[in-house]
Amino acid sequence: MSNYLEITHLKQEFPFRAFLNDGWAITYPHFHKEIEIIHTKKGKVNIGVGQKLIELAEGETYFFPSGQPHYFLASPDSERCVFQFDLLMFDEVNLRRPEDPTLFALFEQGEPLSRNWPADFAKRMTDLLLALFSAQEQDTTGERFRIIALLHLLVADFYRELPSKKERVSITQPAAVKYQETLDQLNVVFDLIENHYQESLTLEEVAKEVGFSPYYFTRFFKKNTGQTFGQFLTDYRVNQAKFILASEKIPMVEVAEKAGFASVKTFHHVFKEAVGISPLKYQKNILKG
C-alpha cells in the first residue's frame, strides 16, 4: 500500500475519527481523500505542506483539503489532535444552496491556518474541535449524533466566516480518489513510485505494470491527478528531498541520491526550479526558523 496515497480506514457507516499523536510520530509525504484537521494541543508541531514547512504553535489549527500532500516532522514535547472525516458524511445536495461553493471547494479555497483567521472565529473553532475530540473519546449512546451536530456547526461556520487562502497550493484532483477501481489503479502507480523513486523509473514501465498502453496511461494519469507522470514523479522526489533536508544533516550528494536524482547537479537544478531556492538555502531557512 502506498504511503503517498493514504487510504484512511474509516468506518463506512460513520467515516469520522479523532486521535492523539505525540511529537515523535513522523509521517512521510502522503495525501488522502478525507479532510484532515490538526490542532496543536501541546508544544509546537512541524508540518510540511506545499512548498514550505509550517510550525504550529500551541493552540493553533491547520486543515488539509482532500488531496493535499503533507507530512509531519518530529516535534519533541508536543501533542496534536488529529481529525479525519469524509465529506460524504454531509447531505450536500439538500443542505447546500445553489449559489454556495461545494464542500470540496470550501476546504480547497479556504485559509487553512488558524493564525490567519479572525480571533473570535479561531476561538470558536478550537472549542468545537475540543468538543469533537471529547465526544469521540466518550463513545457512549448518542455521541455519534453529537459528533454529527458538531461537524455541521463547524462546516456552517466555515461557510460563513472562513477567509479565503492567501496562496494556492497543489491539490490532487478529486477524480483521483472518487472510484474504487481508479483508486486501486492509482495505488499500483504510487506503490511503484514509493518503492522505486530512487531508480530510473520510466512511464513505459509503470504503464505496463498497470496494464495500460503508454498513451492511455498518460491520459489516465493526467486526468486523475492533474499532472503528467513525469511532473508527479519529480514532485515526489522534491518532496522527499525537502523531508530529508528538514530532518537530516547529510551532504547534498547523499540527499540527491536518497531522493532519487541522477546527480547532485540535476538535483540542485530541479529543486531550485520547483522550490525557488537552492537545497542548501532551503535547509538553512528551516534550521534557523
Side-chain angles (χ1 to χ4, degrees):
M1 185 65 67
S2 170
N3 287 329
Y4 200 75
L5 174 58
E6 180 181 88
I7 299 179
T8 309
H9 298 290
L10 303 182
K11 295 179 180 178
Q12 187 174 0
E13 75 280 7
F14 196 71
F16 167 88
R17 68 172 178 172
F19 54 93
L20 195 66
N21 269 348
D22 64 41
W24 293 108
I26 296 176
T27 304
Y28 289 86
H30 68 285
F31 68 81
H32 38 73
K33 69 184 178 69
E34 292 77 17
I35 302 298
E36 181 170 317
I37 301 178
I38 305 298
H39 179 74
T40 307
K41 184 178 180 182
K42 173 187 174 185
K44 296 179 180 180
V45 174
N46 296 306
I47 61 175
V49 57
Q51 300 293 343
K52 58 187 178 180
L53 189 69
I54 299 171
E55 183 181 74
L56 291 187
E58 188 168 313
E60 289 190 323
T61 298
Y62 196 97
F63 68 79
F64 304 103
S66 175
Q68 172 62 61
H70 57 279
Y71 59 88
F72 293 89
L73 298 175
S75 306
D77 301 318
S78 71
E79 291 182 344
R80 58 182 182 262
C81 297
V82 182
F83 305 84
Q84 295 175 337
F85 55 91
D86 196 319
L87 292 178
L88 294 178
M89 293 185 74
F90 303 93
D91 185 9
E92 184 172 359
V93 173
N94 291 319
L95 294 178
R96 180 173 60 83
R97 300 180 307 173
E99 63 268 28
D100 292 334
T102 65
L103 282 170
F104 181 88
L106 173 68
F107 282 93
E108 180 184 353
Q109 298 166 7
E111 169 57 45
L113 180 57
S114 65
R115 76 177 68 138
N116 297 326
W117 299 348
D120 58 339
F121 173 64
K123 173 64 168 59
R124 195 159 65 254
M125 291 302 98
T126 295
D127 292 342
L128 273 173
L129 290 173
L130 294 178
L132 267 171
F133 195 83
S134 175
Q136 166 80 8
E137 284 193 314
Q138 292 179 33
D139 194 25
T140 57
T141 302
E143 283 307 315
R144 286 190 172 185
F145 290 96
R146 180 173 178 79
I147 289 171
I148 286 289
L150 291 169
L151 284 174
H152 277 80
L153 285 174
L154 184 147
V155 169
D157 281 353
F158 266 31
Y159 266 116
R160 287 198 300 266
E161 298 186 54
L162 181 67
S164 298
K165 69 173 60 172
K166 297 181 178 179
E167 57 183 85
R168 294 188 63 81
V169 290
S170 175
I171 300 292
T172 301
Q173 294 299 316
V177 289
K178 189 176 181 180
Y179 301 108
Q180 188 62 46
E181 182 180 2
T182 301
L183 190 68
D184 291 342
Q185 290 166 331
L186 283 172
N187 199 60
V188 171
V189 179
F190 296 135
D191 268 336
L192 286 168
I193 292 174
E194 180 185 347
N195 294 321
H196 301 284
Y197 70 91
Q198 295 173 321
E199 307 165 17
S200 177
L201 191 63
T202 68
L203 182 148
E204 289 75 18
E205 291 171 336
V206 176
K208 184 178 180 181
E209 287 292 329
V210 187
F212 293 159
S213 70
Y215 173 76
Y216 183 82
F217 174 73
T218 297
R219 295 178 59 196
F220 166 83
F221 196 83
K222 180 68 181 290
K223 175 184 176 182
N224 288 297
T225 68
Q227 293 180 291
T228 67
F229 174 74
Q231 290 169 334
F232 191 94
L233 180 58
T234 296
D235 283 354
Y236 185 88
R237 286 170 171 160
V238 169
N239 277 329
Q240 293 298 320
K242 288 193 289 185
F243 183 84
I244 295 166
L245 290 167
S247 57
E248 299 183 49
K249 291 183 180 180
I250 57 177
M252 286 299 153
V253 66
E254 292 185 34
V255 176
E257 183 179 354
K258 291 183 71 172
F261 291 93
S263 69
V264 69
K265 183 178 180 180
T266 300
F267 166 54
H268 186 277
H269 173 75
V270 172
F271 189 94
K272 188 172 183 179
E273 188 176 74
V275 182
I277 55 176
S278 70
L280 183 60
K281 189 171 183 180
Y282 177 85
Q283 187 177 51
K284 286 180 177 178
N285 287 347
I286 288 176
L287 294 178
K288 73 178 182 181

